[in-house]
Amino acid sequence: MKQPLLTADHLSVQYPGKNGLLDAITDISLHIRTGETVCLVGESGSGKTIAAKTFMRLIDYERGRIAAGHVQFADQDLVRLTDKELRRLRGRKIAMVFQEPMTAFDPIFTIGSQLIETILRHQRVTRQEAWRRSVDLLRRVGLSEPEARMHQYPGELSGGMLQRAMIAMALSCSPDLLIADEPTTALDMTIQAQILQLLKELQREYGMAMLLITHDLVIAAEAADRIVVMYAGRIAEQAETQDLFREPYHPYTKGLLQSITAPDSMRKSKLYSIEGSIPGLHDMPSGCRFHPRCPHAVERCRSEVPELTGLNGRLVACWRAEELRHSGNVQARPAVIEAEPMTSERKETLIEAVGLSKWYPLKRGTGGKERFIRAVDDVSLAIRAGETFGLVGESGSGKSTLGRVILQLERATKGEVYFRGEPLTQLSGARLRNMRRHMQMVFQDAGSSMNPRWKAGDIIGEPLDVHESLSRKERKARIEELLQIVGLSPDMADRYPHQFSGGQRQRLGIARAIALNPAFLLLDEPVSALDVSVQAQIVNLLLDIQERMGLTYLFIGHGLHVVRHLSDRIGVMYLGQLVEVADSAELFLHPAHHYTRALIASIPHPDPAGRGTARVIEGEVPSPAAPPSGCRFHPRCPAATERCKLEAPELQEIGPGHYAACHFPA
Amino acid sequence: MARAILLRAAASLMVIFGTMALVFVIVYMLPGDPVYQIVDPESVTPDVIENLRRQLGTDKPLAVQFANYMSKLMQGDFGRSILNGDPVLPKIIEHFPATLSLTVCSALFAALIGIWLGVLSAIHRNGLIDIAARTLGLFGISMPTFWTGILLILLFSIRLGWFPAMGSDGWRTLVLPSLALGIVASGFIIRLVRNSMLEVLGEPFILTLRAKGLAERMVMYRHALRNALLPALTMIGVLIGDLMAGSVVIETVFSRQGIGRIVADALTAKDMPVIQGVILFTAVMYVLVNLLVDLSYAIVDPRVRRLKSGGGRL
């Protein structure tokens, strides 16, 4: 076996807090060999990013401190290096790619100057040579017209292009170790697959070691040789990827794996979820840090910290790992998707949109024609009472705008929206306000949708104050009832939003939305911002409430599996238009539009055995200000012909209840 | 881009026009007949007064007076001093260089000290240097300029004898008044640059720069400071106005020539045309400076440039 390139040995890092030092990571041991990809998996607060920053000693700038342990990189002791030695290491031997490419570049320097700056910092070459090398790198990472990109500013490139440029910059000095911190999280699905594939190719080409940090086990399954699972600042389990997915030992890993919404889950069934939420740095549980959420916890777990110990060629920190191994397999799932019986009873239509468009004017120079961003362009759809209509599409597809226009939060440029046959687009003032009680919304970022200076009870109670005149006692009773419905305790009414965890805040958001007993809820990515182990809780709650209150949902999401799990029917949007509508199971079994096919193909497989099956579509979503002619997908479509360039396809029924806007449906 | 500049210039012209009108209205509404500033009504016949009114044009209706005033302004005629009959504009132009050099020197001084201490303050956040710089800034903002001026005179000319206490000949006379004016402005700039730097240092791209192995000097001065200076730039335009206003006091304290001094003298004598002229002249300068600041903003920040030319991604 080769000598490890990087070794962390019982590493602990502390940060100064308000009341003394906080342990950000505790007693971490891991190693990475040359050419190997190790995935550090964990939810927010697990310490995975801090671990990565520690390997470059970037924690120095945040007043973080290595409290104990060693980090060895090649033949250097990282803990003892001076600032000068560290700067020679950073960017040259160890390079890093960050989560949000849009904010990771200095906005007032060109891409080129930031690349050249890195090369000149570490290598003795002329500016011309550095320029030439930068252009080569940009070409290698798949950017078109690399010379032109060199002169562009970060604000002029899309997220996907910037992430490619960031990767080029990280590779500019051929590092031995590449640390990628959630490199695809901020990107669209199809771009995510492209970037992941690029990283894997480059790693092979450069023979680097790669430390990939992610909250998404599915990405780890796709890319990792070995997976290290972290929880609350400690390592819970470490294993070869195949082993981990075949049989996780730690209850937390088991829980994580089970909470992945699988492509073959029973639709609308309750998802497995880990109870509770991740502890904060200042209130770490004693003993095993997972014990308050662990279904298998015993007395010993509460009092004693389990060491990371070897068990069948892997490492696990659990007192009961050995005995639990024999207590049942976690991955018993039906392997095939079966077409579910079509719900033949046609229910009444609750909401209907007809030829709906929302165009935003674009300011342009003198003389020229006024131009528009066609955020939503001629969309018609009907949502039936009691169903969940899922809407998927990448950023810029107009799915959120469509939702807001349906709710009359923004007024349509053209077209009509009917709610129980009543034309909403023609209502205004008091009559519209009166209709609003029937249609409510749950936001992606629950926290920022609440006034931070209001108490939870008042946040939930506000719709009641507007639409109903309840006595103080009735109001209080109703608020407590709502809190209980969403799984919070009534005495939480006096707390402020920041005193809740992310998942609890989303529960509050849901309570506020259902306060008036609405008929329709717009759910705009309600789980996207939540941790994996909490997502399932919210999905279950939404299912529960729908059944209880007979609600109709419009569910906007980008996690395809979650949308599939919740929805009866799904609409796929691309550049402001609806390109396919079908029954949820039908859409996944027989996707007709080539964009839908590409979307489904870009999902990484949650099983390392199916690795590499994800196919990647080329290119990026064009600007909605200048959509391509004909079929808007044709520049990226593998099946496009001359006809697709000229003639825009209409949405046509290609099967019972299955509509697609494509000249050559698959 | 050219279109954006034209629009901005047109807007500036509107502001200048508005200022002209405002100055006229203010002067018109001031109590007292300007004629009585020239002659004593008790000692002359009504004919003389009537005659003077006709000469000054104050016998005509408001609209006509305004039209006359504007048309004269357009021709560069700022009127004549009531006291000695000198034309106002040449007098302002004659004295402007002295005020200009004072304003520029104090602005440079303020920017230099302010940016330097602001950056140090941010780098050593909550450290000793930070506390010292902030205290200094607080003093600068809180002390009235004439008081600072007097203190400086006491220390540097009376006690130490390094610089003259008055006069406007040679660079040595410029040092103390520039300091006195600049200290106030630098107090604002320290605070501004410090906050702006701290904000930029919290941006994710700073981590990228450090992860690339750049020296802290490069991170701070090449990247962070340049980003942090963008908001400071706007402030400097506003400060120039403050500095010009401050020159009224400072030129008196240091017995310097300059338009501040002219105003101070005109105010005591109620010499309206002169006051009017100087206000207008200063307003035009102020608008010009801010126009320049706005334009330079577009040059320094690629995001603004793109926004103004209407291109770029969404």
Side-chain angles (χ1 to χ4, degrees), chain A residues 327-342:
Chain A
S327 66
N329 192 342
V330 281
Q331 284 200 308
R333 286 209 198 99
V336 255
I337 319 178
E338 281 173 38
E340 288 157 49
M342 293 278 294

Side-chain angles (χ1 to χ4, degrees), chain A residues 53 56 58 61 87 90-91 94 98 103-109 114 117-118 121-122 153 155-158 166 169 362 364-366 373, chain B residues 3 203-205 207-216 218 222-224 226-227 230 300-303 305-306 309-314:
Chain A
K53 283 184 187 166
M56 291 178 84
L58 287 170
Y61 297 107
R87 280 200 294 274
R90 292 181 194 136
I94 310 180
F98 300 90
T103 55
F105 279 100
D106 186 337
I108 61 171
F109 286 86
Q114 298 190 51
E117 178 183 57
T118 318
R121 166 72 185 89
H122 295 293
Y153 289 93
E156 297 173 274
L157 303 183
S158 70
M166 179 56 71
M169 193 157 82
L362 199 66
R364 257 285 157 180
T366 40
I373 294 178
Chain B
R3 189 181 129 88
E203 299 274 338
F205 73 79
L207 185 66
T208 313
L209 296 170
R210 285 171 171 158
K212 293 203 297 195
L214 289 194
E216 272 305 282
M218 293 279 277
R222 186 173 144 89
H223 290 278
R226 272 172 80 163
N227 274 279
L230 294 175
V300 183
D301 189 345
R303 288 165 298 186
R305 206 180 315 156
R306 228 168 30 249
S309 60
R313 286 185 52 91
L314 278 145

Side-chain angles (χ1 to χ4, degrees), chain A residues 235-363:
Chain A
I235 292 179
E237 180 165 8
Q238 189 200 115
E240 303 283 320
T241 307
Q242 300 284 352
D243 293 344
L244 191 90
F245 276 81
R246 198 180 60 246
E247 195 192 354
Y249 283 5
H250 197 285
Y252 174 63
T253 321
K254 283 185 197 180
L256 270 188
L257 273 173
Q258 279 181 308
S259 5
I260 297 174
T261 323
D264 47 7
S265 67
M266 230 354 236
R267 280 216 351 259
K268 302 224 166 188
S269 63
K270 286 285 160 58
L271 292 176
Y272 177 87
S273 70
I274 307 175
E275 289 307 310
S277 54
I278 300 156
L281 284 183
H282 43 272
D283 51 6
M284 281 296 176
S286 61
C288 170
R289 286 179 180 173
F290 186 60
H291 86 253
R293 305 177 73 190
C294 184
H296 309 291
V298 293
E299 197 44 53
R300 188 176 188 195
C301 305
R302 276 172 205 113
S303 52
E304 283 177 71
V305 180
E307 285 287 316
L308 199 61
T309 40
L311 185 62
N312 298 343
R314 57 171 99 185
L315 297 168
V316 59
C318 175
W319 290 122
R320 304 187 62 201
E322 177 94 66
E323 60 181 293
L324 287 173
R325 265 194 66 210
H326 309 290
S327 66
N329 192 342
V330 281
Q331 284 200 308
R333 286 209 198 99
V336 255
I337 319 178
E338 281 173 38
E340 288 157 49
M342 293 278 294
T343 35
S344 53
E345 30 152 351
R346 290 256 156 175
K347 287 180 192 152
E348 56 156 325
T349 300
L350 185 74
I351 284 189
E352 192 174 9
V354 182
L356 206 56
S357 296
K358 179 70 189 177
W359 295 3
Y360 296 100
L362 199 66
K363 288 216 176 71

Side-chain angles (χ1 to χ4, degrees), chain A residues 489-662:
Chain A
S489 85
D491 58 348
M492 288 177 170
D494 285 332
R495 292 197 198 166
Y496 291 94
H498 72 267
Q499 292 171 297
F500 293 85
S501 71
Q504 287 175 326
R505 267 199 295 272
Q506 195 54 285
R507 287 174 193 270
L508 268 188
I510 292 169
R512 176 176 60 184
I514 60 172
L516 294 166
N517 280 319
F520 175 70
L521 279 193
L522 169 62
L523 309 167
D524 192 354
E525 309 220 15
V527 299
S528 306
L530 300 176
D531 277 310
V532 189
S533 70
V534 180
Q535 277 186 13
Q537 296 173 7
I538 299 297
V539 168
N540 289 345
L541 175 66
L542 287 170
L543 284 168
D544 198 42
I545 292 175
Q546 182 172 39
E547 205 181 297
R548 230 159 117 169
M549 306 179 61
L551 285 168
T552 306
Y553 287 160
L554 175 58
F555 184 88
I556 298 172
H558 72 242
L560 276 178
H561 291 320
V562 176
V563 177
R564 190 196 76 89
H565 188 84
L566 272 163
S567 308
D568 298 288
R569 289 190 304 142
I570 295 178
V572 181
M573 284 193 77
Y574 188 73
L575 273 181
Q577 295 185 323
L578 210 51
V579 296
E580 185 162 3
V581 180
D583 188 84
S584 176
E586 165 77 6
L587 187 86
F588 276 78
L589 280 174
H590 309 294
H593 197 284
H594 295 276
Y595 177 61
T596 314
R597 292 169 68 86
L599 269 189
I600 292 174
S602 70
I603 310 171
H605 215 275
D607 175 2
R611 192 189 276 203
T613 50
R615 285 183 310 276
V616 172
I617 47 165
E618 299 293 318
E620 305 202 356
V621 184
S623 159
S629 63
C631 171
R632 292 183 178 178
F633 186 59
H634 85 255
R636 300 173 76 190
C637 183
T641 65
E642 206 50 41
R643 186 180 166 204
C644 302
K645 275 183 210 164
L646 302 171
E647 200 185 316
E650 295 279 318
L651 202 62
Q652 288 170 330
E653 186 154 16
I654 55 165
H658 192 162
Y659 300 82
C662 179

